[in-house]
Structure formats: C-alpha cells, structure tokens
Amino acid sequence: MLRAIKIRLYPNTEQKQSLEQSFGNRQWLWNYCLDLINQTYIETGKGLSGYEVKKLIPQLKKQYEWLSLAYSACLQQVCLNLGVAFNNFFERRAKYPRFKSKHGRQSIQYPQNVKVFDNYLKIPKIGDVKAVIHRPIEGKIKTVTISKNCCGQYFASILFDDGKEKPEASTEGKAVGIDVGLTHFAITSDASKFDNPRFLTKYEKNLKLKQQQLSRKQKGSNNRNNARKKVAKVHRKITNCREDFLHKLSRRIVDDNQVIVTENLNVKGMMKNHCLAKAIGQVGWGMFMTMLKYKAEQDGKTYLEVDRFFPSSKTCHVCLNQVGSLPLDVRKWTCNNCHTTHDRDVNAAINLREEGLRILTCGTRDKAYRQTVSRSNRGRKKSTTVLVSG
C-alpha cells in the first residue's frame, strides 16, 4: 500500500543554492515546454506529448549549460508531469496548464536515487541534507518531492510502498453520521459537538498589521521582501493550527467508529455567498473530509458521502416527516407530525447516518425521480414519484 510522509529539511547555505538552482531549472523547463506545445498547436493543429518534449532535454543541455546543474531525472519528470497536466485538462479534471512563477511555493520531484537515513536525506547533486524524520519509513521509496514554502522553509514529501495489502473495508461496528457547520465545526449523530476554533479570526489582527506594513514598503526593496515573509509566517501559523486541529479530530473519529457518513458538500459553490465566504473559507471542510477518507481507508473502515441534496436538516428522524423550509437561523424546530423537538444539527447527523446505512444495506443510491415537478412546487401539478436506481 502506498503511503506518504512529509518531513522538515534543514539544508545549509550551499545546499540552499543548489536547490534554488534546481527550482529555477524546473520552472524554466516547464515554461519552455509549455510554450513549445502551445506554438506547435497553433502552427500545426497538433500537440506534443510529455515523452516527445522529454527527448529535447539533451539538446537543451548543450544549448544551455546551466541546465545540467539539475539532476537529469528531475528534468525528465518535469516533462512527464506536463504531459499528465494536459491529460487531466482534456479529461476535465483540471484547468489548462499554466506557466510557473519564480515567486511563491517552489518544488522539484526526484523519482529515484534518494536515500533516507536516521537524521538526513541523501539527494543527488545536493548531498546529505539534515532532516527531522518523525516516523519510520519502511518500504520501497517511490518518489521524493522537495518543496519550499513562502516562509523559506524546506520540506520533503516521501512516497513509499510499505509492502502491505490495502485492508478491505468492513461495516461491522459503530456507525456515526457527521454534520459540519460554522458555529460548531462538527456535530455527530451521538450528539457530540466540536466547536469551530476560528484560527483566522484569532490571528486576524496580527495579520492585518503585517499586511499594512507590507503595503507601505517600496516594491523591489529588501524591506518589502522581509515584510512579505512576516505576512507569510502568519498565514503559515494559521495553516499549521488548522491542520493540527483537523488531523486530531479526524483521527479521533476514525478510531472510535467503523462506518463514517458525511455529506457531499459543494464548498466551491457555497463560497459564492459573499456573506459566508470568509467563514466557510477558514473552516476547512474539504480538508477534513479528505482526512477522514484516507484515514478510514488505511484502517479498513468505511467512509461514505451522502448526496448534497438529501434533506438531512428538514427531515424528522423519528417519523420521517419533512418540513417545507428551514432557514439557517432556526437552530431548533418541532415536528408537526410527531411533535418531537429537534436540534437542527444533531437531527441532520442522525439522518445522514441512517441514509448511509440504508445505502450500504441496499447497495444502491435510489433517488426520487420528479422530472415534471419544479423545486419550488409552484405553478405545476405534482406527478407520481417513482424510485429509480441511480
């Protein structure tokens, strides 16, 4: 089973210069090949694959001698990654590949010949780089990606195969439904509520001050570059706090449950609401769902997402009666049929759990097919509801 670990690197001055040269060569080669592919398509109507542009590297090394300072396998991997980027674009998994910038995050990928020791990494043409390896790496190393963030910190993402088979997902055990929100970050079906830490709000005053200082600096000066790093450090602090919270909470939920059911949220669409965009952006729902998914798969547990249009909040989990509308400011409501008072979030989490168990039991995702009925149910006559397998 493939696993990945991210460790911190502490290169010396010479090693930093070598890494910067490698980052620059990778950026230049990517931009050169991307421009070549664009020009070839304009002139001939046909593109170039990653393998075709990879064949140009020996000729480019003769023309640009400084290109030989980078490890040859890294340059070949740049061309292959460009080909993968175009495949993702044509299959509508990503946008059109863009030109790389020398500003911001930098990275380079080593597909081979990187060796890991107790407290350092042996990297081709770089040397022995000091590292803090907080977890054992047992297995065959596939790729190592060296990156530098905006704060000037260096990291290595190591992908390796531990030689173990991926455990089969089991459904025998405790099931939990999770509803996410803004007041409380997560609400489980057993009525446990986890508060939203709001890390951006906590550091917003410091961030505003650093950004004001940056705006007053002259562009291109060293003072502006130092101010930019201070702003980046505040952002990095917020990111570290958020990731730490999400890792701990997701690990706790996965350890305590066997079946985890969440809602398939359209976070990108919800970000278009300008009143809630800032609050939704800082909460990290998408990252939380990703952590739950891969941790559950690694432990042989079941992770399931319910359709985003499932009325989990508006449905009474006792009698399954559904109310017409339920505004966001209504946090508690009483069912007109069974007269049960519900906490909006807990009721939604219970409904998500029950819907997930129904899907697992039936082995299908049946939905109500209402082709001739509008969502507002106004101006049209309701037709007969028919269940179909989706």
Side-chain angles (χ1 to χ4, degrees):
M1 183 171 61
L2 294 178
R3 303 177 70 93
I5 182 175
K6 188 175 182 179
I7 62 176
R8 179 76 182 274
L9 298 180
Y10 295 91
N12 55 34
T13 304
E14 296 180 359
Q15 293 170 347
K16 287 182 180 180
Q17 294 177 355
S18 300
L19 287 173
E20 291 296 333
Q21 181 68 41
S22 300
F23 293 150
N25 290 354
R26 172 251 185 186
Q27 171 210 336
W28 183 89
L29 182 61
W30 175 283
N31 293 341
Y32 178 87
C33 294
L34 179 56
D35 181 68
L36 179 63
I37 293 175
N38 293 339
Q39 293 298 328
T40 303
Y41 179 79
I42 293 174
E43 296 173 359
T44 64
K46 297 181 180 180
L48 299 175
S49 65
Y51 291 97
E52 291 175 335
V53 295
K54 188 178 72 171
K55 298 177 182 179
L56 302 176
I57 295 179
Q59 180 181 354
L60 291 175
K61 284 185 177 181
K62 296 179 181 179
Q63 187 176 357
Y64 306 98
E65 297 181 357
W66 45 265
L67 202 60
S68 302
L69 298 176
Y71 188 46
S72 59
C74 296
L75 300 179
Q76 296 174 6
Q77 193 64 34
V78 170
C79 300
L80 297 180
N81 290 341
L82 182 59
V84 173
F86 272 101
N87 291 337
N88 292 334
F89 166 73
F90 291 126
E91 296 178 7
R92 298 186 177 182
R93 291 194 298 265
K95 295 182 179 180
Y96 192 83
R98 298 182 300 177
F99 291 97
K100 299 293 183 181
S101 172
K102 65 178 181 180
H103 304 289
R105 182 181 180 274
Q106 304 292 326
S107 66
I108 189 169
Q109 189 174 10
Y110 290 81
Q112 58 189 7
N113 294 336
V114 177
K115 297 182 180 180
V116 180
F117 297 92
D118 294 336
N119 56 358
Y120 67 93
L121 263 64
K122 190 173 184 179
I123 306 175
K125 289 198 173 185
I126 303 297
D128 299 341
V129 181
K130 182 181 177 181
V132 177
I133 304 176
H134 55 281
R135 290 184 182 179
I137 302 175
E138 299 176 353
K140 182 180 179 181
I141 298 177
K142 295 293 185 178
T143 60
V144 177
T145 303
I146 309 297
S147 61
K148 187 190 75 168
N149 60 17
C150 297
C151 302
Q153 298 172 335
Y154 293 84
F155 296 89
S157 298
I158 304 174
L159 177 67
F160 63 97
D161 188 356
D162 58 4
K164 300 178 182 179
E165 295 292 335
K166 184 178 180 180
E168 296 183 0
S170 174
T171 58
E172 297 181 0
K174 181 181 177 182
V176 64
I178 303 175
D179 182 57
V180 294
L182 295 178
T183 303
H184 294 92
F185 175 79
I187 303 93
T188 62
S189 55
D190 53 5
S192 297
K193 295 185 177 182
F194 302 93
D195 292 334
N196 182 7
R198 301 180 187 272
F199 293 112
L200 179 59
T201 304
K202 180 179 179 181
Y203 295 98
E204 191 171 19
K205 185 177 180 180
N206 186 24
L207 180 62
K208 180 181 179 180
L209 177 62
K210 296 296 190 298
Q211 288 175 334
Q212 288 176 343
Q213 294 174 354
L214 174 63
S215 65
R216 299 188 182 104
K217 300 298 186 293
Q218 184 179 359
K219 292 185 178 181
S221 63
N222 291 332
N223 289 335
R224 183 179 178 85
N225 187 38
N226 294 332
R228 180 195 59 79
K229 291 183 179 180
K230 291 181 180 179
V231 174
K233 287 182 179 179
V234 179
H235 280 293
R236 185 64 188 175
K237 178 67 175 180
I238 298 172
T239 302
N240 289 341
C241 293
R242 183 189 297 114
E243 291 182 354
D244 179 72
F245 169 75
L246 297 179
H247 273 297
K248 290 179 179 178
L249 180 57
S250 60
R251 172 49 60 191
R252 175 179 175 179
I253 293 176
V254 171
D255 289 344
D256 295 343
N257 304 277
Q258 186 66 30
V259 179
I260 303 169
V261 184
T262 62
E263 187 177 6
N264 181 17
L265 297 175
N266 182 15
V267 180
K268 184 177 180 179
M270 290 188 291
M271 288 288 290
K272 296 181 181 179
N273 184 348
H274 300 293
C275 297
L276 299 175
K278 184 177 181 180
I280 295 174
Q282 68 169 309
V283 73
W285 287 336
M287 184 181 296
F288 179 64
M289 304 301 180
T290 302
M291 291 180 181
L292 285 176
K293 183 177 181 180
Y294 82 77
K295 290 178 182 178
E297 291 177 352
Q298 289 178 354
D299 294 352
K301 300 184 178 182
T302 302
Y303 173 82
L304 182 65
E305 290 185 354
V306 176
D307 188 80
R308 66 188 62 167
F309 296 111
F310 174 70
S312 58
S313 300
K314 299 188 293 184
T315 303
C316 173
H317 72 271
V318 178
C319 64
L320 302 182
N321 178 49
Q322 182 177 339
V323 297
S325 63
L326 196 65
L328 288 176
D329 57 345
V330 179
R331 309 315 301 174
K332 290 186 179 182
W333 60 279
T334 303
C335 178
N336 297 328
N337 187 30
C338 65
H339 306 289
T340 304
T341 302
H342 298 291
D343 182 293
R344 178 194 182 105
D345 299 324
V346 176
N347 177 68
I350 295 175
N351 284 327
L352 289 174
R353 181 192 63 188
E354 298 302 323
E355 177 68 8
L357 293 177
R358 186 194 67 81
I359 294 175
L360 292 175
T361 303
C362 299
T364 181
R365 296 174 181 263
D366 292 337
K367 297 180 182 178
Y369 179 70
R370 302 191 302 171
Q371 185 176 4
T372 60
V373 179
S374 63
R375 290 187 179 275
S376 60
N377 294 331
R378 291 181 296 180
R380 295 184 183 180
K381 183 178 180 181
K382 291 186 178 180
S383 62
T384 305
T385 301
V386 181
L387 292 180
V388 297
S389 297

